[in-house]
Amino acid sequence: MDLKPTERWMAIAGVAVLSAIAVAGFAIAIYAAWLFHDMPDAGELQDYRPPTATRVYAWDGTLIGEYSKERRIFIPYDQIPPQLAQAFLAAEDRNFFQHGGVDVGGLSRAMIKNVGNAVRGRRLEGGSTITQQVAKNVLLTSDATVGRKFKEAILAHRLEQSLTKQQILELYLNEIWLGYRSFGVGAAAYNYFGKALPDLTLAECAYLASLPKGPDNYHPIRNRAKAITRRNWVLGQMAEQGWVSKADAQKAMAEPLSVQAAPKRAAYRDADYFVEEVRQRGMATLGPRLNEGGYYMRTTLDPRLQSAARIALMDGLEKYDRRHGWRGAWGHVQPSDLNWEKTALTKAAPSERRQWRAALVTSNDGRVRLVKKEGEGQIVAEDMTWAKAGKGLKAGDLVFVERTAQGGYRLRQIPAVNGALVAMEPYTGRVVALVGGYSYSLSNFNRATQAMRQPGSSFKPFVYAAALENGYTPASVIVDSAITFKGANGEEWSPENYHKEFYGAQPLRKGLEQSINAMTVRLAQGVGMKKIVDFAKRTGVVRDMDPVLAMALGAGETTPFKLTAAYAPFVNGGRRVEPHLIELVQDREGKVIFRADKRDCERCDAGFNGDESPRFAAPGEQVMDPVTAYQVTSMLQGVVQRGTAAAVSSLGRPLAGKTGTTNEYRSAWFVGYSPNLIVGVFIGFDDNRSLGEGETGATGPVPMFMDFMKVALEGQPVVDFKPPKNAKFALVRGVREAFRPGTEPKVEVAPTEGPIPYQDLPPSLPPVSPPATQPGKPTQKPDPLSGLY
């Protein structure tokens, strides 16, 4: 049949249209297949929990830190206050409980508005429901594309089929970014207002609900007016929905917007070194999950003792620094410089010294002007004298000062020296306090756990303990006389006593109490350095050590943390306990995933039936005889009563300990203990240079130990060191000594000559290599003394 031209063109047009439709449909199908081929499974959200912060607590429940990628505190739906949820619904999705994931009416209204927004060049509105926002935040990217909006709508529909409305709202309120370092309403309440959710007022709930549209746009300080306007709009919407009365809404609108000046950290601020050490140990155990798993972590920290440790160390280092003079201003400007504050604020004072202020010296006689118009006045006369004895002060100098109660100003300088203090329980290994330096805000290098240093004479107790384990007794006599050894390089080494004198035959106790170097080396030679090295490794003071005699005088290297822990067997009956900082870790469901105490308690769940109560086995490996441990403690009590640490006896408690001073006064130590607490104190420069003539363990560390122990012992009963039940006692030169059964003398050993004048000063060690310049790296290595074991 012949078609007319018109009909022919109509047919061609029809075929073309149908072909175009087919092609378009095919293209749409391909696009849809591409668009949705990687669609996430909404069902996965049934078990989804957003990343939450691990919170770290002291043993008494004090919050001391948080670890997180996203600062979030997960709050279950049944613990979210209804008025807070209603505020978010009023602001974001009033029809949430009626729609099926996509609010068609709301979307239509948004599209109509977008016509005007496009004309005016404004940002387009999405009209997204809370369900769509959950789909976007949890399952999708934030790309502003048509494809993503399609995916968002489809996923929102699937979410509504997989989860209840309450579950979706719970996810939303815990996932949403609200500014101020806050993900979710739990963290936001804490960071903005310092409150838990149940404590929020209606006005505060409304303000948090105003933030999802843009936290920076409604910042409570930078954009306060806009923030209040938006908050009051939310309150009006809540009243319009009937969720609050108009009177309550009006009352809330009249409230000021009062927030914290910055996101709130843990209120306790004295444990930064401890918290960071816990983080590193937690990462080694839990890996990256630590920062997102929402764990509850209970540590061994005692906040009262930690604060005392931080104060004792900082005060002690400042006293050392003051003894060594004023080093001069840390900056200088022209006295007439009107912009001096800009320069002054570039130097940070230790955050732990909250009363220190940067100041400009305005005259050579010590007048100062503080930054931020915080005052001006006169440096006190005592500090002016101190400064003049050093590098002096002149107009234009920039310094730190601290106001006195009388109105004057004390001159302050940041110590160049550093140190560490560790306190732990000898029976459990619980580290109750740890300070790794003068100020964490100025240096986060942890000298307690990372600084490898020679312990000097504080190592000697391990030499004497090894001797007592290998045939020596408190009645043994060692000759203190000159002794010379030839090293592998041909150089001679003659260990000397401080006073260049030798005291002849002396009992074992005298050698440790008075820290006699030549006598200690002769003892080490008699015992054998291989045995001493094995003993030192067994107690944990060192991981490895060369078996050369110089090591008997503390020429090896260890950390304050290890050395303090290694003293525990002297107190607890000879057991090595592993020091630990983390007591317990629970996941967000409350399941225990780590417990430091791994001992089994048999019959602990049996209930009370009149039988003997269950008993735990003593923790730790037995590394020395209990009698040996008590013998060393008794000798170290003599150090406190008659030796270098005699000042400690003024505390009026049973205490023991040993000072240590290394070659050329590079490091100063004191490790002391009561029957229930061991404390190690270390002072030294990070580059391992000399502390200066006369800076011994008794000069710096002992006063720090005393300052700390005054707090630690306050209110504690007076308890003496308890000898083992099987110890035998006999008088040796007028001193009651403990012996292992069968080794005690049958008659009293007669006394010898009187006490030896003594100062615990550094021994003369073999030639050493130059000191390391990086903190924590090996410092000194004595030349090996070949053949002398």
Side-chain angles (χ1 to χ4, degrees):
M1 181 178 63
D2 293 334
L3 295 176
K4 295 179 181 180
T6 304
E7 292 173 338
R8 186 181 298 113
W9 284 110
M10 290 180 64
I12 293 172
V15 171
V17 169
L18 291 173
S19 299
I21 292 173
V23 170
F26 184 65
I28 291 172
I30 292 175
Y31 176 71
W34 172 82
L35 184 64
F36 301 119
H37 79 282
D38 60 347
M39 280 276 284
D41 183 3
E44 295 175 1
L45 289 181
Q46 289 182 331
D47 298 319
Y48 173 77
R49 287 293 182 270
T52 52
T54 290
R55 310 195 87 193
V56 187
Y57 296 86
W59 73 274
D60 67 348
T62 301
L63 178 66
I64 61 175
E66 292 181 74
Y67 312 130
S68 63
K69 289 182 179 178
E70 299 177 356
R71 195 168 190 182
R72 180 185 284 107
I73 303 169
F74 188 84
I75 309 295
Y77 181 80
D78 59 5
Q79 295 180 28
I80 296 173
Q83 73 175 11
L84 178 65
Q86 290 164 351
F88 276 87
L89 294 176
E92 295 294 312
D93 189 359
R94 68 181 67 180
N95 297 319
F96 173 72
F97 283 99
Q98 283 76 48
H99 63 64
V102 177
D103 186 354
V104 178
L107 184 62
S108 299
R109 288 191 297 272
M111 292 302 101
I112 294 171
K113 285 185 179 181
N114 280 340
V115 174
N117 290 339
V119 172
R120 297 179 182 87
R122 295 179 180 173
R123 184 177 181 273
L124 302 183
E125 296 184 13
S128 294
T129 64
I130 281 177
T131 312
Q132 287 175 274
Q133 291 183 57
V134 170
K136 178 187 71 174
N137 292 338
V138 178
L139 298 173
L140 299 172
T141 67
S142 297
D143 299 334
T145 63
V146 174
R148 199 219 71 205
K149 293 298 291 184
F150 275 129
K151 286 185 177 182
E152 185 183 290
I154 292 171
L155 278 174
H157 179 68
R158 292 180 181 176
L159 278 175
E160 294 279 349
Q161 294 177 323
S162 302
L163 305 177
T164 65
K165 287 286 189 180
Q166 289 78 11
Q167 288 174 313
I168 294 170
L169 191 54
E170 176 185 81
L171 277 173
Y172 174 76
L173 292 175
N174 281 287
E175 181 72 29
I176 190 72
W177 165 245
L178 296 172
Y180 244 47
R181 296 173 56 206
S182 306
F183 286 87
V185 292
Y190 183 72
N191 288 340
Y192 280 101
F193 303 111
K195 295 182 177 181
L197 289 185
D199 300 326
L200 293 176
T201 66
L202 174 59
E204 290 165 346
C205 289
Y207 174 68
L208 294 184
S210 72
L211 294 170
K213 282 288 186 285
D216 287 341
N217 296 335
Y218 306 109
H219 192 280
I221 297 173
R222 294 194 298 269
N223 295 313
R224 181 178 294 272
K226 288 179 66 176
I228 292 175
T229 299
R230 175 71 178 173
R231 178 201 68 179
N232 291 350
W233 176 84
V234 173
L235 289 166
Q237 295 296 303
M238 294 180 73
E240 186 177 307
Q241 295 297 312
W243 292 331
V244 297
S245 68
K246 290 186 176 179
D248 286 342
Q250 289 293 332
K251 183 179 177 181
M253 289 179 187
E255 289 183 19
L257 179 56
S258 300
V259 300
Q260 299 179 133
K264 187 170 183 178
R265 279 189 54 178
Y268 185 75
R269 300 291 301 278
D270 282 346
D272 286 337
Y273 284 106
F274 185 97
V275 170
E276 174 57 19
E277 184 67 22
V278 168
R279 187 191 70 80
Q280 293 184 23
R281 290 168 183 251
M283 287 291 288
T285 303
L286 301 171
R289 293 178 297 160
L290 179 71
N291 294 325
E292 57 190 37
Y295 298 112
Y296 163 83
M297 187 177 286
R298 189 175 78 229
T299 70
T300 59
L301 186 90
D302 183 322
R304 184 177 71 93
L305 298 185
Q306 176 67 22
S307 295
R310 197 266 302 169
I311 293 169
L313 185 68
M314 291 190 79
D315 286 353
L317 293 174
E318 287 174 7
K319 288 174 183 175
Y320 165 91
D321 193 63
R322 191 173 179 90
R323 285 197 299 272
H324 290 267
W326 171 246
R327 297 191 305 278
W330 52 261
H332 186 82
V333 297
Q334 291 301 316
S336 58
D337 187 352
L338 297 179
N339 294 317
W340 68 272
E341 282 198 11
K342 185 176 181 181
T343 304
L345 292 173
T346 60
K347 177 81 169 180
S351 64
E352 298 85 352
R353 293 305 197 202
R354 299 180 180 89
Q355 304 305 315
W356 287 21
R357 294 290 183 270
L360 171 70
V361 179
T362 57
S363 66
N364 293 343
D365 63 356
R367 295 288 299 176
V368 292
R369 182 182 304 139
L370 276 59
V371 293
K372 300 179 181 178
K373 298 182 173 58
E374 292 185 352
E376 56 182 289
Q378 177 69 42
I379 294 175
V380 298
E382 178 187 351
D383 287 5
M384 286 301 298
T385 302
W386 175 57
K388 288 175 182 178
K391 292 197 173 181
L393 280 177
K394 58 183 181 296
D397 281 348
L398 298 175
V399 297
F400 288 120
V401 297
E402 183 176 5
R403 187 178 176 85
T404 69
Q406 293 74 32
Y409 290 92
R410 297 303 305 261
L411 189 58
R412 302 301 189 197
Q413 72 178 358
I414 298 171
V417 72
N418 235 299
L421 191 153
V422 180
M424 64 171 284
E425 295 178 351
Y427 289 90
T428 64
R430 296 175 70 248
V431 178
V432 296
L434 183 148
V435 188
Y438 174 73
S439 168
Y440 188 85
S441 66
L442 300 180
S443 168
N444 57 23
F445 176 71
N446 192 333
R447 293 149 193 90
T449 58
Q450 295 174 286
M452 295 293 292
R453 291 292 183 266
Q454 294 181 338
S457 294
S458 58
F459 178 77
K460 287 178 182 174
F462 301 96
V463 176
Y464 284 78
L468 291 165
E469 288 280 286
N470 287 278
Y472 289 80
T473 76
S476 299
V477 173
I478 306 297
V479 175
D480 177 43
S481 62
I483 186 170
T484 299
F485 303 100
K486 184 169 289 187
N489 58 4
E491 295 187 39
E492 292 186 343
W493 173 52
S494 299
E496 295 179 344
N497 298 329
Y498 174 66
H499 289 290
K500 312 294 184 184
E501 296 179 16
F502 298 99
Y503 306 102
Q506 296 293 334
L508 213 63
R509 169 181 290 273
K510 188 81 76 169
L512 186 54
E513 279 189 3
Q514 306 298 343
S515 202
I516 305 173
N517 292 329
M519 180 176 168
T520 301
V521 172
R522 282 191 180 275
L523 177 65
Q525 186 181 33
V527 175
M529 278 306 299
K530 285 187 176 179
K531 291 180 180 178
I532 291 172
V533 169
D534 289 343
F535 185 82
K537 290 163 67 174
R538 202 159 67 241
T539 56
V541 67
V542 292
R543 180 175 295 176
D544 201 4
M545 191 170 73
D546 294 332
V548 296
L549 285 171
M551 298 298 173
L553 300 182
E557 291 187 329
T558 187
T559 65
F561 188 82
K562 287 183 179 179
L563 183 62
T564 303
Y567 270 63
F570 299 141
V571 195
N572 66 24
R575 291 182 174 273
R576 174 181 175 177
V577 294
E578 290 300 323
H580 63 278
L581 288 74
I582 303 172
E583 195 77 54
L584 177 77
V585 180
Q586 293 175 308
D587 64 17
R588 70 177 89 208
E589 307 298 333
K591 179 183 177 182
V592 175
I593 61 174
F594 173 83
R595 187 188 299 275
D597 190 344
K598 295 179 172 58
R599 294 175 296 168
D600 293 326
C601 180
E602 297 180 5
R603 299 189 298 111
C604 277
D605 298 326
F608 180 72
N609 59 6
D611 293 342
E612 183 182 4
S613 61
R615 293 185 180 182
F616 279 108
E621 174 193 359
Q622 195 78 38
V623 293
M624 70 180 79
D625 190 287
V627 176
T628 299
Y630 182 78
Q631 288 169 330
V632 173
T633 288
S634 176
M635 293 177 185
L636 295 182
Q637 283 186 278
V639 173
V640 168
Q641 294 161 358
R642 296 175 288 275
T644 54
V648 174
S649 62
S650 66
L651 294 176
R653 297 292 190 112
L655 295 167
K658 184 70 187 75
T659 52
T661 311
T662 64
N663 213 24
E664 300 176 2
Y665 301 96
R666 294 176 185 273
S667 299
W669 300 80
F670 182 66
V671 184
Y673 53 92
S674 71
N676 298 307
L677 189 66
I678 309 171
V679 182
V681 183
F682 157 76
I683 297 179
F685 285 99
D686 286 343
D687 61 5
N688 202 35
R689 68 181 185 267
S690 174
L691 290 167
E693 187 76 21
E695 288 293 345
T696 68
T699 306
V702 162
M704 293 185 195
F705 171 84
M706 293 175 63
D707 287 346
F708 174 78
M709 290 301 281
K710 286 173 185 174
V711 177
L713 296 173
E714 185 178 358
Q716 299 296 314
V718 177
V719 179
D720 210 340
F721 295 100
K722 292 183 179 179
K725 292 181 179 179
N726 66 331
K728 303 296 182 181
F729 289 88
L731 287 174
V732 177
R733 295 169 177 84
V735 179
R736 187 170 181 264
E737 299 281 13
F739 292 84
R740 283 201 289 274
T743 67
E744 71 275 17
K746 303 306 179 185
V747 296
E748 179 184 352
V749 179
T752 57
E753 63 275 8
I756 300 169
Y758 173 73
Q759 271 187 287
D760 178 30
L761 290 162
S764 173
L765 293 179
V768 298
S769 57
T773 57
Q774 295 297 320
K777 294 203 174 173
T779 54
Q780 300 180 68
K781 279 288 184 184
D783 290 345
L785 304 178
S786 63
L788 300 177
Y789 300 108

